[in-house]
Amino acid sequence: MEKKERRSQGWFGKTGKDGLIYRSWFKKQGIPTHELGGKPIIGICNTWSELTPCNSHFRELAEFVKKGVIEAGGYPVEFPVMSLGETVMKPTAMLYRNLASMDTEESIRANPLDGVVLLCGCDKTTPSLVMGAASVNLPTIVVSGGPMLTGRYRGAEISTSDIWRFSESSRSGEISQDELYIAESGLCRSDGHCGVMGTASTMACMVEALGLSLPGNAAIPAPDTGRKVMAHMSGMEIVKMVENDLKLSDILTREAFENAIMVNAAIGGSTNFVIHLLAIAGRIGIELNLEDFDKYSANIPLLANLQPSGKYFMEDFYYAGGLPPVIRQLKDRLHNEALTVTGQSIGKNNEKFENYNKEVIAAIDEPFNPLSGIVVLKGNLCETGSIIKPSAASPELMKHTGKAVVFEDIDDYKNNIDDPDLDIDENSIMVLKNVGPKGYPGMPEVGNMGLPTKVLAKGIKDMIRISDGRMSGTGFGTVILHATPEAAEGGNFAVVQTGDEIELDVEARKLNLLVSDEELTKRKAAWKKPPTLTERGYVSLYVKTVEQANLGADLDFLKGNSGSEVTKDSH
């Protein structure tokens, strides 16, 4: 069988003017001719940025990927793409996930690459890079940056889920601003992303469960030498993938997506998992819908005792064995034959890994919590769906009817939540509108609204909160998210009013507004679409083309892929 010419030789293998241009400018970096003579050219897609603190160690990590690529006989070339710093970007990093995916896609396709290593860590950097790479479909492997070490505060272990506890304690007057300064100094004390099962760690587990990274990738802490070894070994693996023409479409099958949903349930992963996995599926051409998340997580118990659903931290998860023993526990539920980047099945990859701490990773027949996964709620308040994470919610609130207290937008909430005259108590249901993809825009992580101070003063820690926005993966509470259609698109969520009765029944998968159809029709007829925020630039394009959360909130024209072929030369 004739060996297929490497993609990079469409640049470096040319003769005449085109070959002269492609090779000459590459050689000015000190690259000898033989390195461009047919070796696999491996792109290292780096999201390092000082504006993305979670990824601040990626320059060093890339060097270890390069060592692995060179050892395996490839030639590494590092390139930057747009990096999304979750903790600093305004109005929300989610506004730019799709833009970063476009940058990734076009950077990969336009350049002489045979395979790609994706270096990602902070929340949106992982889905944006995988989405972009999926739309090109070259051999691709993911190296995550790893979680930070567990924080310390006055002798206690803390991490990023404690942000919400500190915030409420500060708002209720229990701790001072000076005390917050002390806490923040011990919260993030090393390289790496959030040290709990927040969105960044969920994304790292997602790619491992999908088969896009080497076993054990998700949990190794950023400062651990094992993270550098993982980068090196991944550099070696991508060269093998190029040799075997093992592409993303070979790995990202329907079975792989079902596996990822089941694993996410077992680890108590972030609700943001839903919107990102839907978007990735849309790029690779796999049919996936909101109901699949309920269906495939329904009978999976919570095995990982990790914050925000449990007690421990990602550092503890690593010492207990990381994701492989969780996958092994699920062997009777998963599609064990699903292919991974190693060329082996996910079942084969994880068959020998042990669990070293049963308090951190429970056995499937003695789970940490029988409640897990993502529950999809439907009803006349969210005609096309909303979601809740039962393992992070209060059991006593899972079936409740209460009076709506409605905030029309985030400013309305901020201006009124602590008003002593606000007619609200712990039995009320807080509703926040216009924080969806189009309405905010970008769909920020504000769904886990802070409670009113007068409710906090009673010692109440949780209330039902409903929004068309998202929640940080580090957050917790009886929080209903991603209500669709969002308020900015009309529908019943747009016209819910303070004083309306809302009925929640998680077990029955129902969320209903107890208002007559006649009254809702009248309200919708009087409803007016919010004014357009801007008519220029990316934000305008985003608002005009972004899909709803139940579809993955990708831009409608980005779904699918365009392959890797580029037939025209540049000069």
mmCIF file of all heavy atoms in Angstrom, residues 86 94 97 123-124 127 198-200 202-203 206 264 269-278 293 374 387 389 443-445 469-474 481-482:
data_model
loop_
_atom_site.group_PDB
_atom_site.id
_atom_site.type_symbol
_atom_site.label_atom_id
_atom_site.label_comp_id
_atom_site.label_asym_id
_atom_site.label_seq_id
_atom_site.Cartn_x
_atom_site.Cartn_y
_atom_site.Cartn_z
ATOM 1 N N GLU A 86 -11.045 33.208 32.293
ATOM 2 C CA GLU A 86 -12.382 33.178 32.878
ATOM 3 C C GLU A 86 -12.569 34.226 33.968
ATOM 4 O O GLU A 86 -13.626 34.827 34.089
ATOM 5 C CB GLU A 86 -12.648 31.779 33.457
ATOM 6 C CG GLU A 86 -14.038 31.563 33.992
ATOM 7 C CD GLU A 86 -15.090 31.568 32.897
ATOM 8 O OE1 GLU A 86 -14.786 31.097 31.778
ATOM 9 O OE2 GLU A 86 -16.212 32.036 33.148
ATOM 10 N N MET A 94 -17.437 33.437 28.030
ATOM 11 C CA MET A 94 -18.299 32.630 27.170
ATOM 12 C C MET A 94 -18.675 33.374 25.887
ATOM 13 O O MET A 94 -18.916 32.753 24.847
ATOM 14 C CB MET A 94 -19.556 32.216 27.939
ATOM 15 C CG MET A 94 -20.493 31.296 27.175
ATOM 16 S SD MET A 94 -19.761 29.716 26.758
ATOM 17 C CE MET A 94 -21.143 28.943 25.905
ATOM 18 N N ARG A 97 -15.970 32.254 23.425
ATOM 19 C CA ARG A 97 -15.628 30.850 23.167
ATOM 20 C C ARG A 97 -15.663 30.533 21.685
ATOM 21 O O ARG A 97 -14.749 29.906 21.128
ATOM 22 C CB ARG A 97 -16.609 29.921 23.906
ATOM 23 C CG ARG A 97 -16.296 28.442 23.732
ATOM 24 C CD ARG A 97 -17.491 27.555 24.052
ATOM 25 N NE ARG A 97 -18.585 27.714 23.088
ATOM 26 C CZ ARG A 97 -19.720 27.022 23.107
ATOM 27 N NH1 ARG A 97 -19.936 26.148 24.080
ATOM 28 N NH2 ARG A 97 -20.655 27.235 22.194
ATOM 29 N N ASP A 123 -11.341 27.361 31.843
ATOM 30 C CA ASP A 123 -12.648 26.832 31.421
ATOM 31 C C ASP A 123 -12.888 26.748 29.923
ATOM 32 O O ASP A 123 -13.020 25.677 29.345
ATOM 33 C CB ASP A 123 -13.766 27.694 32.032
ATOM 34 C CG ASP A 123 -13.786 27.639 33.538
ATOM 35 O OD1 ASP A 123 -12.808 27.184 34.148
ATOM 36 O OD2 ASP A 123 -14.784 28.075 34.129
ATOM 37 N N LYS A 124 -12.994 27.911 29.260
ATOM 38 C CA LYS A 124 -13.420 27.940 27.856
ATOM 39 C C LYS A 124 -12.305 27.582 26.885
ATOM 40 O O LYS A 124 -12.570 27.356 25.705
ATOM 41 C CB LYS A 124 -13.979 29.323 27.487
ATOM 42 C CG LYS A 124 -15.026 29.879 28.437
ATOM 43 C CD LYS A 124 -16.220 28.973 28.609
ATOM 44 C CE LYS A 124 -17.209 29.552 29.599
ATOM 45 N NZ LYS A 124 -16.699 29.680 30.973
ATOM 46 N N PRO A 127 -13.011 23.690 25.535
ATOM 47 C CA PRO A 127 -14.013 23.485 24.476
ATOM 48 C C PRO A 127 -13.733 24.287 23.221
ATOM 49 O O PRO A 127 -13.977 23.807 22.103
ATOM 50 C CB PRO A 127 -15.330 23.910 25.130
ATOM 51 C CG PRO A 127 -14.947 24.778 26.274
ATOM 52 C CD PRO A 127 -13.625 24.242 26.761
ATOM 53 N N GLY A 198 -14.739 22.092 39.247
ATOM 54 C CA GLY A 198 -15.388 23.182 38.540
ATOM 55 C C GLY A 198 -15.349 22.904 37.044
ATOM 56 O O GLY A 198 -15.081 21.779 36.604
ATOM 57 N N THR A 199 -15.572 23.941 36.262
ATOM 58 C CA THR A 199 -15.657 23.724 34.812
ATOM 59 C C THR A 199 -14.320 23.315 34.214
ATOM 60 O O THR A 199 -14.267 22.443 33.342
ATOM 61 C CB THR A 199 -16.200 24.983 34.124
ATOM 62 O OG1 THR A 199 -17.484 25.296 34.663
ATOM 63 C CG2 THR A 199 -16.338 24.759 32.620
ATOM 64 N N ALA A 200 -13.209 23.914 34.659
ATOM 65 C CA ALA A 200 -11.904 23.575 34.071
ATOM 66 C C ALA A 200 -11.576 22.102 34.297
ATOM 67 O O ALA A 200 -11.179 21.391 33.357
ATOM 68 C CB ALA A 200 -10.819 24.473 34.649
ATOM 69 N N THR A 202 -13.729 19.765 35.023
ATOM 70 C CA THR A 202 -14.750 19.006 34.285
ATOM 71 C C THR A 202 -14.355 18.860 32.823
ATOM 72 O O THR A 202 -14.512 17.789 32.220
ATOM 73 C CB THR A 202 -16.116 19.697 34.392
ATOM 74 O OG1 THR A 202 -16.521 19.735 35.766
ATOM 75 C CG2 THR A 202 -17.178 18.962 33.590
ATOM 76 N N MET A 203 -13.844 19.943 32.231
ATOM 77 C CA MET A 203 -13.416 19.882 30.829
ATOM 78 C C MET A 203 -12.231 18.939 30.642
ATOM 79 O O MET A 203 -12.142 18.213 29.646
ATOM 80 C CB MET A 203 -13.061 21.285 30.329
ATOM 81 C CG MET A 203 -14.237 22.244 30.208
ATOM 82 S SD MET A 203 -15.467 21.764 28.966
ATOM 83 C CE MET A 203 -16.681 20.912 29.988
ATOM 84 N N MET A 206 -13.671 15.641 30.776
ATOM 85 C CA MET A 206 -14.441 15.432 29.548
ATOM 86 C C MET A 206 -13.553 14.921 28.422
ATOM 87 O O MET A 206 -13.885 13.940 27.744
ATOM 88 C CB MET A 206 -15.134 16.727 29.121
ATOM 89 C CG MET A 206 -15.895 16.636 27.805
ATOM 90 S SD MET A 206 -16.445 18.262 27.193
ATOM 91 C CE MET A 206 -14.876 18.924 26.575
ATOM 92 N N ASN A 264 -19.196 12.176 33.449
ATOM 93 C CA ASN A 264 -19.499 13.467 34.063
ATOM 94 C C ASN A 264 -20.466 13.315 35.234
ATOM 95 O O ASN A 264 -20.341 13.997 36.259
ATOM 96 C CB ASN A 264 -20.085 14.422 33.026
ATOM 97 C CG ASN A 264 -20.268 15.826 33.576
ATOM 98 O OD1 ASN A 264 -19.309 16.536 33.827
ATOM 99 N ND2 ASN A 264 -21.510 16.227 33.792
ATOM 100 N N GLY A 269 -19.670 16.598 37.637
ATOM 101 C CA GLY A 269 -19.111 17.656 36.800
ATOM 102 C C GLY A 269 -20.013 18.876 36.669
ATOM 103 O O GLY A 269 -21.208 18.843 36.958
ATOM 104 N N SER A 270 -19.419 19.938 36.200
ATOM 105 C CA SER A 270 -20.078 21.237 36.039
ATOM 106 C C SER A 270 -21.268 21.179 35.079
ATOM 107 O O SER A 270 -21.259 20.429 34.098
ATOM 108 C CB SER A 270 -19.047 22.241 35.516
ATOM 109 O OG SER A 270 -19.649 23.413 35.037
ATOM 110 N N THR A 271 -22.264 22.025 35.356
ATOM 111 C CA THR A 271 -23.394 22.168 34.428
ATOM 112 C C THR A 271 -22.938 22.719 33.084
ATOM 113 O O THR A 271 -23.606 22.507 32.061
ATOM 114 C CB THR A 271 -24.466 23.097 35.019
ATOM 115 O OG1 THR A 271 -23.845 24.318 35.454
ATOM 116 C CG2 THR A 271 -25.178 22.444 36.187
ATOM 117 N N ASN A 272 -21.792 23.413 33.050
ATOM 118 C CA ASN A 272 -21.278 23.940 31.786
ATOM 119 C C ASN A 272 -20.857 22.829 30.824
ATOM 120 O O ASN A 272 -20.708 23.062 29.624
ATOM 121 C CB ASN A 272 -20.102 24.880 32.045
ATOM 122 C CG ASN A 272 -20.547 26.164 32.707
ATOM 123 O OD1 ASN A 272 -21.443 26.847 32.234
ATOM 124 N ND2 ASN A 272 -19.933 26.498 33.831
ATOM 125 N N PHE A 273 -20.662 21.640 31.354
ATOM 126 C CA PHE A 273 -20.373 20.461 30.530
ATOM 127 C C PHE A 273 -21.401 20.317 29.415
ATOM 128 O O PHE A 273 -21.063 19.963 28.281
ATOM 129 C CB PHE A 273 -20.377 19.225 31.440
ATOM 130 C CG PHE A 273 -20.359 17.901 30.740
ATOM 131 C CD1 PHE A 273 -19.169 17.353 30.298
ATOM 132 C CD2 PHE A 273 -21.532 17.177 30.552
ATOM 133 C CE1 PHE A 273 -19.141 16.116 29.672
ATOM 134 C CE2 PHE A 273 -21.520 15.939 29.941
ATOM 135 C CZ PHE A 273 -20.316 15.408 29.491
ATOM 136 N N VAL A 274 -22.664 20.584 29.727
ATOM 137 C CA VAL A 274 -23.752 20.380 28.769
ATOM 138 C C VAL A 274 -23.571 21.259 27.543
ATOM 139 O O VAL A 274 -23.577 20.786 26.395
ATOM 140 C CB VAL A 274 -25.117 20.664 29.427
ATOM 141 C CG1 VAL A 274 -26.247 20.533 28.408
ATOM 142 C CG2 VAL A 274 -25.355 19.736 30.604
ATOM 143 N N ILE A 275 -23.390 22.542 27.760
ATOM 144 C CA ILE A 275 -23.343 23.496 26.651
ATOM 145 C C ILE A 275 -22.092 23.304 25.793
ATOM 146 O O ILE A 275 -22.120 23.492 24.576
ATOM 147 C CB ILE A 275 -23.462 24.940 27.190
ATOM 148 C CG1 ILE A 275 -24.004 25.877 26.114
ATOM 149 C CG2 ILE A 275 -22.164 25.449 27.792
ATOM 150 C CD1 ILE A 275 -24.463 27.218 26.674
ATOM 151 N N HIS A 276 -20.996 22.865 26.436
ATOM 152 C CA HIS A 276 -19.764 22.664 25.679
ATOM 153 C C HIS A 276 -19.772 21.347 24.906
ATOM 154 O O HIS A 276 -19.327 21.292 23.746
ATOM 155 C CB HIS A 276 -18.556 22.727 26.610
ATOM 156 C CG HIS A 276 -18.384 24.057 27.289
ATOM 157 N ND1 HIS A 276 -18.567 25.256 26.624
ATOM 158 C CD2 HIS A 276 -18.049 24.382 28.568
ATOM 159 C CE1 HIS A 276 -18.349 26.255 27.474
ATOM 160 N NE2 HIS A 276 -18.046 25.759 28.639
ATOM 161 N N LEU A 277 -20.280 20.279 25.520
ATOM 162 C CA LEU A 277 -20.320 18.999 24.804
ATOM 163 C C LEU A 277 -21.273 19.074 23.613
ATOM 164 O O LEU A 277 -20.987 18.513 22.546
ATOM 165 C CB LEU A 277 -20.729 17.867 25.747
ATOM 166 C CG LEU A 277 -20.433 16.464 25.206
ATOM 167 C CD1 LEU A 277 -18.936 16.191 25.214
ATOM 168 C CD2 LEU A 277 -21.162 15.389 26.011
ATOM 169 N N LEU A 278 -22.400 19.761 23.771
ATOM 170 C CA LEU A 278 -23.327 19.948 22.648
ATOM 171 C C LEU A 278 -22.650 20.671 21.496
ATOM 172 O O LEU A 278 -22.830 20.314 20.320
ATOM 173 C CB LEU A 278 -24.549 20.744 23.110
ATOM 174 C CG LEU A 278 -25.594 20.002 23.948
ATOM 175 C CD1 LEU A 278 -26.566 20.990 24.579
ATOM 176 C CD2 LEU A 278 -26.351 18.978 23.104
ATOM 177 N N PHE A 293 -28.439 13.982 27.991
ATOM 178 C CA PHE A 293 -27.706 14.182 29.241
ATOM 179 C C PHE A 293 -28.481 13.596 30.416
ATOM 180 O O PHE A 293 -27.880 13.048 31.348
ATOM 181 C CB PHE A 293 -27.433 15.667 29.448
ATOM 182 C CG PHE A 293 -26.457 16.227 28.458
ATOM 183 C CD1 PHE A 293 -26.877 16.644 27.209
ATOM 184 C CD2 PHE A 293 -25.110 16.292 28.772
ATOM 185 C CE1 PHE A 293 -25.980 17.137 26.278
ATOM 186 C CE2 PHE A 293 -24.197 16.780 27.848
ATOM 187 C CZ PHE A 293 -24.633 17.207 26.591
ATOM 188 N N ILE A 374 -26.899 15.412 35.440
ATOM 189 C CA ILE A 374 -27.645 16.601 35.045
ATOM 190 C C ILE A 374 -29.088 16.194 34.811
ATOM 191 O O ILE A 374 -29.356 15.239 34.076
ATOM 192 C CB ILE A 374 -27.067 17.206 33.746
ATOM 193 C CG1 ILE A 374 -25.568 17.518 33.897
ATOM 194 C CG2 ILE A 374 -27.860 18.441 33.343
ATOM 195 C CD1 ILE A 374 -25.228 18.610 34.869
ATOM 196 N N ILE A 387 -31.738 23.149 33.005
ATOM 197 C CA ILE A 387 -31.008 22.071 33.677
ATOM 198 C C ILE A 387 -30.764 22.397 35.148
ATOM 199 O O ILE A 387 -30.748 23.563 35.544
ATOM 200 C CB ILE A 387 -29.660 21.771 32.980
ATOM 201 C CG1 ILE A 387 -28.727 22.997 33.020
ATOM 202 C CG2 ILE A 387 -29.877 21.288 31.562
ATOM 203 C CD1 ILE A 387 -27.325 22.714 32.495
ATOM 204 N N LYS A 389 -28.330 20.607 38.623
ATOM 205 C CA LYS A 389 -27.351 19.619 39.083
ATOM 206 C C LYS A 389 -27.789 19.135 40.462
ATOM 207 O O LYS A 389 -27.528 19.798 41.472
ATOM 208 C CB LYS A 389 -25.962 20.266 39.127
ATOM 209 C CG LYS A 389 -24.831 19.377 39.573
ATOM 210 C CD LYS A 389 -23.531 20.170 39.501
ATOM 211 C CE LYS A 389 -22.362 19.397 40.045
ATOM 212 N NZ LYS A 389 -21.118 20.202 39.974
ATOM 213 N N MET A 443 -23.988 35.051 27.981
ATOM 214 C CA MET A 443 -24.403 34.035 28.941
ATOM 215 C C MET A 443 -23.396 33.881 30.084
ATOM 216 O O MET A 443 -22.698 32.881 30.195
ATOM 217 C CB MET A 443 -24.617 32.696 28.238
ATOM 218 C CG MET A 443 -25.573 31.775 28.971
ATOM 219 S SD MET A 443 -25.816 30.243 28.046
ATOM 220 C CE MET A 443 -26.921 29.379 29.142
ATOM 221 N N PRO A 444 -23.335 34.851 30.991
ATOM 222 C CA PRO A 444 -22.349 34.831 32.078
ATOM 223 C C PRO A 444 -22.720 33.847 33.186
ATOM 224 O O PRO A 444 -23.826 33.307 33.216
ATOM 225 C CB PRO A 444 -22.412 36.260 32.601
ATOM 226 C CG PRO A 444 -23.848 36.633 32.406
ATOM 227 C CD PRO A 444 -24.238 36.002 31.091
ATOM 228 N N GLU A 445 -21.787 33.672 34.116
ATOM 229 C CA GLU A 445 -21.982 32.759 35.238
ATOM 230 C C GLU A 445 -22.565 33.505 36.433
ATOM 231 O O GLU A 445 -21.910 33.694 37.458
ATOM 232 C CB GLU A 445 -20.663 32.092 35.590
ATOM 233 C CG GLU A 445 -20.147 31.198 34.467
ATOM 234 C CD GLU A 445 -18.839 30.510 34.792
ATOM 235 O OE1 GLU A 445 -18.089 31.025 35.655
ATOM 236 O OE2 GLU A 445 -18.553 29.454 34.191
ATOM 237 N N GLY A 469 -29.124 32.152 32.349
ATOM 238 C CA GLY A 469 -27.669 32.210 32.327
ATOM 239 C C GLY A 469 -27.044 30.912 32.766
ATOM 240 O O GLY A 469 -27.700 29.859 32.855
ATOM 241 N N ARG A 470 -25.742 30.997 33.093
ATOM 242 C CA ARG A 470 -24.975 29.834 33.528
ATOM 243 C C ARG A 470 -24.544 30.022 34.986
ATOM 244 O O ARG A 470 -24.765 31.059 35.585
ATOM 245 C CB ARG A 470 -23.732 29.661 32.647
ATOM 246 C CG ARG A 470 -24.042 29.380 31.178
ATOM 247 C CD ARG A 470 -22.769 29.217 30.346
ATOM 248 N NE ARG A 470 -21.920 30.389 30.448
ATOM 249 C CZ ARG A 470 -20.711 30.406 30.994
ATOM 250 N NH1 ARG A 470 -20.187 29.304 31.506
ATOM 251 N NH2 ARG A 470 -19.993 31.519 31.029
ATOM 252 N N MET A 471 -23.900 28.998 35.520
ATOM 253 C CA MET A 471 -23.324 29.048 36.856
ATOM 254 C C MET A 471 -21.893 28.542 36.780
ATOM 255 O O MET A 471 -21.588 27.590 36.045
ATOM 256 C CB MET A 471 -24.131 28.159 37.811
ATOM 257 C CG MET A 471 -23.539 28.017 39.204
ATOM 258 S SD MET A 471 -24.594 27.102 40.373
ATOM 259 C CE MET A 471 -24.441 25.413 39.779
ATOM 260 N N SER A 472 -21.008 29.153 37.530
ATOM 261 C CA SER A 472 -19.650 28.635 37.633
ATOM 262 C C SER A 472 -19.682 27.185 38.069
ATOM 263 O O SER A 472 -20.488 26.792 38.918
ATOM 264 C CB SER A 472 -18.852 29.460 38.648
ATOM 265 O OG SER A 472 -17.637 28.810 38.978
ATOM 266 N N GLY A 473 -18.797 26.381 37.499
ATOM 267 C CA GLY A 473 -18.705 24.990 37.913
ATOM 268 C C GLY A 473 -18.315 24.833 39.365
ATOM 269 O O GLY A 473 -18.511 23.771 39.957
ATOM 270 N N THR A 474 -17.758 25.904 39.951
ATOM 271 C CA THR A 474 -17.400 25.864 41.365
ATOM 272 C C THR A 474 -18.604 26.149 42.261
ATOM 273 O O THR A 474 -18.519 26.012 43.475
ATOM 274 C CB THR A 474 -16.301 26.893 41.672
ATOM 275 O OG1 THR A 474 -16.816 28.216 41.438
ATOM 276 C CG2 THR A 474 -15.082 26.678 40.789
ATOM 277 N N LEU A 481 -30.703 26.461 35.522
ATOM 278 C CA LEU A 481 -29.914 27.225 34.558
ATOM 279 C C LEU A 481 -30.341 26.954 33.123
ATOM 280 O O LEU A 481 -31.069 26.008 32.842
ATOM 281 C CB LEU A 481 -28.431 26.859 34.722
ATOM 282 C CG LEU A 481 -27.861 27.049 36.131
ATOM 283 C CD1 LEU A 481 -26.692 26.112 36.354
ATOM 284 C CD2 LEU A 481 -27.454 28.493 36.351
ATOM 285 N N HIS A 482 -29.820 27.800 32.219
ATOM 286 C CA HIS A 482 -29.957 27.605 30.767
ATOM 287 C C HIS A 482 -31.416 27.553 30.335
ATOM 288 O O HIS A 482 -31.772 26.826 29.397
ATOM 289 C CB HIS A 482 -29.257 26.316 30.302
ATOM 290 C CG HIS A 482 -27.827 26.171 30.727
ATOM 291 N ND1 HIS A 482 -26.995 25.201 30.203
ATOM 292 C CD2 HIS A 482 -27.058 26.856 31.605
ATOM 293 C CE1 HIS A 482 -25.801 25.295 30.750
ATOM 294 N NE2 HIS A 482 -25.819 26.307 31.614
#
